[in-house]
Amino acid sequence: MPDSGLFYKEWKQNKALLTTVFFVLMLSNPFTVLNTYISYQGCVDHQNEWVGNCVFSINYLNGTFISVFWIWGVVLAVSQLGIERSKGLFDFTFSLPYTRGQIYNTKFFTGGMVIVVPQLIGYVLSVFLILLLKPEKVIYFHHLSIGMMLISLMAYSLVMAAGALTGSIFSQLLVSFTVTILPFLLIALPAENLEIIFGHNVAFLNTDIPDWLQYIIPIMFVNPEWVMDSAQYLFFPAAWSGIFYIIGYISFIKLSNERNGYFFLWKALDRPVQLVVIIIGILSFGYFGFTASESFAGYLIGMAAGAVIGFLISYFAIYKKTKLL
């Protein structure tokens, strides 16, 4: 279990950021309600100058800050793992009389609480404001507010897991982004290439894909238009949060910190990931080469270019050590 001493260390180390994130997440939702009400009052006060009727309605799909709350989860996770590792502070942290599991859980619970608790407070304050101000219509309020708690926690869990696997800020962010689009890379990209090679004769390419399947891809939740679909799809960010936490926890307690600055803390991942990057480069550039030239020759040229680019990027990113700050 996390220790109070570790919580205090985490607080002292990231006090300014934790405080900023807490108040931004707590006040943004009520601010949306108040800002819409002020705009409505301005319309009423100058109704003779405005065209049309003044309507006090709140559409949370348009013009709200809460749809980008996931960014704060990324910032927190980078600060807690990426920046601390790049500054070489983990040597001191690991010298303290705590287990690696306690250290990771303290960081995760601190960040998780700073993400979820202020959003919950802001949600409750917004409910009271809506009851007090009585707008004519409130659209997507509950769905988006509750959904962003899960989505921002998913983003935080993902970047924390990436930080537990990697040895620098760059690799932490790159792995995080890759994972958000990984289902697309593993399913859609090979399917597009099979269609180029075999035409429309590949049977599974002609099957209808269920709407919910797109929400397996975490990056789909970056676009707030997910709120127009079923609330049941929020199961995916909730499930991903749990999966990423488990991956991050196991990686943090098992992997050595001695490879600070390298792409992966676990050396055995270097070669397989390099091969995957090269394959993705081949498939991606092959597809774009075919799209640009509409010829099989362009497809082959694109694949060759993708192999070279994938090798160079993977070699210099994975095997070149980053200097500590």
Side-chain angles (χ1 to χ4, degrees):
M1 292 295 293
D3 184 87
S4 58
L6 278 174
F7 277 116
Y8 180 74
K9 173 188 173 296
E10 196 68 24
W11 163 251
K12 293 293 290 183
Q13 196 165 299
N14 298 287
K15 178 169 56 177
L17 178 60
L18 292 173
T19 303
T20 300
V21 173
F22 187 95
F23 282 104
V24 169
L25 295 183
M26 182 179 69
L27 297 176
S28 293
N29 202 337
F31 175 79
T32 296
V33 180
L34 287 174
N35 185 55
T36 306
Y37 179 73
I38 291 171
S39 299
Y40 165 72
Q41 285 297 324
C43 174
V44 172
D45 294 339
H46 303 85
Q47 193 165 10
N48 294 332
E49 304 172 13
W50 289 47
V51 178
N53 297 324
C54 298
V55 179
F56 180 28
S57 65
I58 307 173
N59 185 348
Y60 267 70
L61 186 58
N62 300 321
T64 59
F65 295 107
I66 63 174
S67 60
V68 294
F69 276 178
W70 59 269
I71 293 176
W72 293 107
V74 174
V75 172
L76 267 179
V78 169
S79 176
Q80 289 181 293
L81 286 185
I83 292 179
E84 185 169 345
R85 177 171 281 116
S86 296
K87 289 182 176 180
L89 299 178
F90 268 124
D91 292 335
F92 168 73
T93 303
F94 289 146
S95 69
L96 298 174
Y98 304 108
T99 66
R100 286 174 175 255
Q102 287 178 306
I103 293 171
Y104 185 81
N105 281 335
T106 299
K107 289 181 174 295
F108 191 90
F109 291 158
T110 300
M113 287 189 296
V114 169
I115 288 172
V116 174
V117 172
Q119 289 191 70
L120 188 59
I121 295 172
Y123 171 71
V124 173
L125 291 175
S126 299
V127 169
F128 282 121
L129 281 174
I130 289 171
L131 292 175
L132 177 65
L133 300 176
K134 296 181 174 60
E136 294 184 25
K137 186 183 296 184
V138 180
I139 304 173
Y140 301 127
F141 167 62
H142 300 287
H143 191 177
L144 185 60
S145 298
I146 296 172
M148 283 313 303
M149 296 181 199
L150 296 174
I151 293 166
S152 53
L153 184 61
M154 176 186 69
Y156 174 74
S157 305
L158 166 60
V159 184
M160 284 290 285
L165 277 167
T166 56
S168 68
I169 298 173
F170 169 75
S171 54
Q172 181 182 12
L173 290 173
L174 184 57
V175 168
S176 300
F177 173 74
T178 303
V179 170
T180 62
I181 61 173
L182 191 58
F184 168 80
L185 295 176
L186 295 179
I187 300 173
L189 189 58
E192 294 289 351
N193 280 263
L194 287 174
E195 185 174 342
I196 292 173
I197 297 172
F198 298 107
H200 295 280
N201 298 323
V202 184
F204 73 87
L205 294 178
N206 299 319
T207 59
D208 292 331
I209 299 176
D211 291 338
W212 61 266
L213 195 60
Q214 64 180 317
Y215 290 108
I216 291 179
I217 308 175
I219 203 170
M220 293 300 297
F221 290 98
V222 170
N223 187 342
E225 291 187 1
W226 60 265
V227 77
M228 295 187 292
D229 294 323
S230 173
Q232 295 178 352
Y233 295 156
L234 291 175
F235 163 80
F236 292 109
W240 279 125
S241 297
I243 292 170
F244 293 144
Y245 164 76
I246 293 171
I247 293 173
Y249 178 80
I250 294 174
S251 300
F252 194 84
I253 65 176
K254 295 293 185 181
L255 301 182
S256 171
N257 198 52
E258 295 176 357
R259 281 176 58 83
N260 275 3
Y262 284 103
F263 199 90
F264 289 113
L265 295 180
W266 188 19
K267 190 176 182 180
L269 284 175
D270 291 350
R271 186 65 66 187
V273 171
Q274 184 184 26
L275 292 175
V276 170
V277 171
I278 293 173
I279 292 171
I280 290 174
I282 292 172
L283 296 179
S284 300
F285 280 85
Y287 172 75
F288 287 118
F290 180 82
T291 303
S293 65
E294 296 185 354
S295 68
F296 201 73
Y299 178 63
L300 294 177
I301 293 172
M303 292 180 73
V308 174
I309 294 172
F311 172 78
L312 293 175
I313 291 175
S314 61
Y315 179 79
F316 287 105
I318 293 175
Y319 293 100
K320 183 177 176 61
K321 184 175 181 180
T322 303
K323 293 182 180 179
L324 299 180
L325 296 177

Short mmCIF file of all heavy atoms in Angstrom, two decimals, residues 17-42:
data_model
loop_
_atom_site.label_atom_id
_atom_site.label_comp_id
_atom_site.label_asym_id
_atom_site.label_seq_id
_atom_site.Cartn_x
_atom_site.Cartn_y
_atom_site.Cartn_z
N LEU A 17 2.40 21.76 -10.36
CA LEU A 17 1.62 21.14 -11.43
C LEU A 17 0.35 20.50 -10.89
O LEU A 17 -0.73 20.66 -11.49
CB LEU A 17 2.47 20.08 -12.13
CG LEU A 17 1.77 19.30 -13.26
CD1 LEU A 17 1.31 20.24 -14.36
CD2 LEU A 17 2.69 18.23 -13.82
N LEU A 18 0.43 19.80 -9.77
CA LEU A 18 -0.75 19.14 -9.20
C LEU A 18 -1.82 20.16 -8.83
O LEU A 18 -3.01 19.95 -9.08
CB LEU A 18 -0.36 18.32 -7.97
CG LEU A 18 0.51 17.08 -8.23
CD1 LEU A 18 0.96 16.47 -6.90
CD2 LEU A 18 -0.23 16.05 -9.06
N THR A 19 -1.39 21.27 -8.26
CA THR A 19 -2.35 22.33 -7.88
C THR A 19 -3.00 22.95 -9.11
O THR A 19 -4.22 23.16 -9.15
CB THR A 19 -1.63 23.42 -7.07
OG1 THR A 19 -1.01 22.84 -5.93
CG2 THR A 19 -2.62 24.49 -6.61
N THR A 20 -2.19 23.22 -10.12
CA THR A 20 -2.72 23.82 -11.35
C THR A 20 -3.74 22.91 -12.02
O THR A 20 -4.84 23.34 -12.39
CB THR A 20 -1.57 24.11 -12.34
OG1 THR A 20 -0.64 25.02 -11.74
CG2 THR A 20 -2.11 24.72 -13.62
N VAL A 21 -3.38 21.63 -12.16
CA VAL A 21 -4.28 20.68 -12.81
C VAL A 21 -5.57 20.54 -12.01
O VAL A 21 -6.67 20.51 -12.58
CB VAL A 21 -3.59 19.31 -12.96
CG1 VAL A 21 -4.58 18.26 -13.46
CG2 VAL A 21 -2.42 19.41 -13.92
N PHE A 22 -5.46 20.49 -10.69
CA PHE A 22 -6.65 20.32 -9.84
C PHE A 22 -7.65 21.45 -10.08
O PHE A 22 -8.84 21.19 -10.32
CB PHE A 22 -6.23 20.28 -8.38
CG PHE A 22 -7.35 19.94 -7.44
CD1 PHE A 22 -7.54 18.63 -7.02
CD2 PHE A 22 -8.22 20.91 -6.97
CE1 PHE A 22 -8.58 18.30 -6.16
CE2 PHE A 22 -9.25 20.60 -6.11
CZ PHE A 22 -9.44 19.29 -5.70
N PHE A 23 -7.18 22.69 -10.03
CA PHE A 23 -8.11 23.82 -10.14
C PHE A 23 -8.62 24.01 -11.57
O PHE A 23 -9.77 24.41 -11.76
CB PHE A 23 -7.46 25.10 -9.61
CG PHE A 23 -7.43 25.17 -8.11
CD1 PHE A 23 -6.26 24.92 -7.41
CD2 PHE A 23 -8.58 25.46 -7.39
CE1 PHE A 23 -6.24 24.97 -6.03
CE2 PHE A 23 -8.58 25.51 -6.00
CZ PHE A 23 -7.40 25.26 -5.32
N VAL A 24 -7.78 23.73 -12.55
CA VAL A 24 -8.25 23.83 -13.93
C VAL A 24 -9.36 22.82 -14.20
O VAL A 24 -10.41 23.16 -14.78
CB VAL A 24 -7.08 23.62 -14.92
CG1 VAL A 24 -7.61 23.45 -16.35
CG2 VAL A 24 -6.12 24.79 -14.87
N LEU A 25 -9.16 21.58 -13.76
CA LEU A 25 -10.17 20.54 -13.99
C LEU A 25 -11.44 20.81 -13.19
O LEU A 25 -12.54 20.48 -13.63
CB LEU A 25 -9.60 19.17 -13.63
CG LEU A 25 -8.44 18.67 -14.50
CD1 LEU A 25 -8.04 17.27 -14.06
CD2 LEU A 25 -8.81 18.67 -15.97
N MET A 26 -11.29 21.39 -12.02
CA MET A 26 -12.47 21.62 -11.17
C MET A 26 -13.31 22.80 -11.68
O MET A 26 -14.55 22.75 -11.63
CB MET A 26 -12.02 21.90 -9.74
CG MET A 26 -13.19 22.12 -8.76
SD MET A 26 -12.66 22.42 -7.06
CE MET A 26 -11.90 24.04 -7.23
N LEU A 27 -12.66 23.83 -12.20
CA LEU A 27 -13.39 25.06 -12.52
C LEU A 27 -13.86 25.14 -13.98
O LEU A 27 -14.74 25.93 -14.29
CB LEU A 27 -12.50 26.28 -12.21
CG LEU A 27 -12.10 26.45 -10.74
CD1 LEU A 27 -11.16 27.63 -10.58
CD2 LEU A 27 -13.34 26.64 -9.87
N SER A 28 -13.28 24.33 -14.87
CA SER A 28 -13.61 24.46 -16.29
C SER A 28 -15.07 24.12 -16.59
O SER A 28 -15.72 24.81 -17.38
CB SER A 28 -12.71 23.55 -17.12
OG SER A 28 -11.38 24.01 -17.07
N ASN A 29 -15.61 23.09 -15.94
CA ASN A 29 -16.99 22.70 -16.19
C ASN A 29 -17.97 23.78 -15.71
O ASN A 29 -18.84 24.22 -16.47
CB ASN A 29 -17.28 21.35 -15.53
CG ASN A 29 -18.47 20.65 -16.16
OD1 ASN A 29 -19.32 21.27 -16.76
ND2 ASN A 29 -18.53 19.34 -16.01
N PRO A 30 -17.87 24.24 -14.45
CA PRO A 30 -18.76 25.34 -14.03
C PRO A 30 -18.57 26.60 -14.87
O PRO A 30 -19.53 27.33 -15.13
CB PRO A 30 -18.36 25.59 -12.57
CG PRO A 30 -17.74 24.31 -12.12
CD PRO A 30 -17.07 23.74 -13.32
N PHE A 31 -17.33 26.85 -15.30
CA PHE A 31 -17.07 28.03 -16.13
C PHE A 31 -17.84 27.96 -17.44
O PHE A 31 -18.31 28.97 -17.95
CB PHE A 31 -15.57 28.16 -16.41
CG PHE A 31 -15.23 29.28 -17.34
CD1 PHE A 31 -15.18 30.59 -16.89
CD2 PHE A 31 -14.96 29.03 -18.68
CE1 PHE A 31 -14.86 31.63 -17.75
CE2 PHE A 31 -14.65 30.06 -19.56
CZ PHE A 31 -14.60 31.37 -19.09
N THR A 32 -17.97 26.76 -17.98
CA THR A 32 -18.73 26.59 -19.23
C THR A 32 -20.18 27.03 -19.03
O THR A 32 -20.75 27.73 -19.88
CB THR A 32 -18.69 25.12 -19.67
OG1 THR A 32 -17.35 24.75 -19.97
CG2 THR A 32 -19.56 24.89 -20.90
N VAL A 33 -20.77 26.64 -17.91
CA VAL A 33 -22.16 27.02 -17.62
C VAL A 33 -22.27 28.53 -17.44
O VAL A 33 -23.14 29.19 -18.02
CB VAL A 33 -22.67 26.29 -16.37
CG1 VAL A 33 -24.12 26.70 -16.06
CG2 VAL A 33 -22.58 24.77 -16.57
N LEU A 34 -21.36 29.10 -16.63
CA LEU A 34 -21.42 30.54 -16.36
C LEU A 34 -21.14 31.36 -17.61
O LEU A 34 -21.79 32.38 -17.85
CB LEU A 34 -20.39 30.89 -15.27
CG LEU A 34 -20.73 30.44 -13.85
CD1 LEU A 34 -19.56 30.74 -12.91
CD2 LEU A 34 -21.99 31.15 -13.36
N ASN A 35 -20.19 30.92 -18.41
CA ASN A 35 -19.86 31.66 -19.63
C ASN A 35 -21.04 31.67 -20.60
O ASN A 35 -21.34 32.70 -21.23
CB ASN A 35 -18.64 31.02 -20.30
CG ASN A 35 -18.16 31.80 -21.50
OD1 ASN A 35 -17.88 32.99 -21.41
ND2 ASN A 35 -18.07 31.13 -22.64
N THR A 36 -21.74 30.54 -20.70
CA THR A 36 -22.92 30.49 -21.57
C THR A 36 -24.03 31.38 -21.04
O THR A 36 -24.73 32.06 -21.81
CB THR A 36 -23.43 29.04 -21.68
OG1 THR A 36 -22.36 28.19 -22.09
CG2 THR A 36 -24.56 28.94 -22.70
N TYR A 37 -24.18 31.40 -19.71
CA TYR A 37 -25.21 32.26 -19.10
C TYR A 37 -24.90 33.74 -19.31
O TYR A 37 -25.80 34.54 -19.61
CB TYR A 37 -25.32 31.96 -17.61
CG TYR A 37 -26.33 32.81 -16.89
CD1 TYR A 37 -27.70 32.61 -17.06
CD2 TYR A 37 -25.92 33.85 -16.05
CE1 TYR A 37 -28.63 33.41 -16.41
CE2 TYR A 37 -26.84 34.64 -15.38
CZ TYR A 37 -28.20 34.42 -15.57
OH TYR A 37 -29.12 35.21 -14.92
N ILE A 38 -23.62 34.12 -19.18
CA ILE A 38 -23.23 35.51 -19.39
C ILE A 38 -23.48 35.92 -20.84
O ILE A 38 -23.96 37.03 -21.12
CB ILE A 38 -21.74 35.70 -19.02
CG1 ILE A 38 -21.55 35.55 -17.50
CG2 ILE A 38 -21.23 37.06 -19.47
CD1 ILE A 38 -20.09 35.50 -17.07
N SER A 39 -23.19 35.02 -21.77
CA SER A 39 -23.47 35.32 -23.19
C SER A 39 -24.96 35.49 -23.42
O SER A 39 -25.39 36.38 -24.18
CB SER A 39 -22.93 34.18 -24.07
OG SER A 39 -21.54 34.06 -23.94
N TYR A 40 -25.74 34.66 -22.76
CA TYR A 40 -27.21 34.77 -22.86
C TYR A 40 -27.70 36.11 -22.30
O TYR A 40 -28.54 36.78 -22.91
CB TYR A 40 -27.85 33.61 -22.12
CG TYR A 40 -29.32 33.78 -21.84
CD1 TYR A 40 -30.26 33.69 -22.87
CD2 TYR A 40 -29.78 34.05 -20.55
CE1 TYR A 40 -31.61 33.86 -22.61
CE2 TYR A 40 -31.12 34.22 -20.29
CZ TYR A 40 -32.04 34.13 -21.33
OH TYR A 40 -33.39 34.31 -21.06
N GLN A 41 -27.16 36.52 -21.15
CA GLN A 41 -27.56 37.80 -20.56
C GLN A 41 -27.16 38.96 -21.45
O GLN A 41 -27.89 39.96 -21.56
CB GLN A 41 -26.91 37.95 -19.18
CG GLN A 41 -27.55 37.10 -18.10
CD GLN A 41 -29.01 37.48 -17.85
OE1 GLN A 41 -29.39 38.64 -17.92
NE2 GLN A 41 -29.83 36.47 -17.58
N GLY A 42 -25.99 38.84 -22.10
CA GLY A 42 -25.59 39.89 -23.03
C GLY A 42 -26.55 40.00 -24.20
O GLY A 42 -26.84 41.11 -24.68
#
